[in-house]
Amino acid sequence: MKFTQTPLKGAYIIDIEEKPDHRGFFARTYCAEEFAAHGLKATVAQCNLS
């Protein structure tokens, strides 16, 4: 996941980073550890897109 800080303190634009292969792609849309590293807290452990 790619976090881009906005001019509004504590607000980010969060983009997925696709991991493609011959079947399509996999990407995380939420990861508790990555959000916490940016000071963001939620109760979801992880969310993926395939």
Side-chain angles (χ1 to χ4, degrees):
M1 296 172 16
K2 181 180 176 188
F3 289 75
T4 304
Q5 183 136 17
T6 68
L8 181 61
K9 184 177 180 177
Y12 296 89
I13 296 171
I14 304 168
D15 292 305
I16 63 171
E17 291 183 284
E18 296 180 3
K19 307 294 183 190
D21 68 12
H22 68 280
R23 300 166 294 180
F25 74 90
F26 178 85
R28 290 186 295 169
T29 57
Y30 176 81
C31 175
E33 290 180 8
E34 288 194 47
F35 272 56
H38 289 86
L40 305 169
K41 296 180 182 157
T43 57
V44 178
Q46 185 169 312
C47 185
N48 307 306
L49 175 66
S50 63

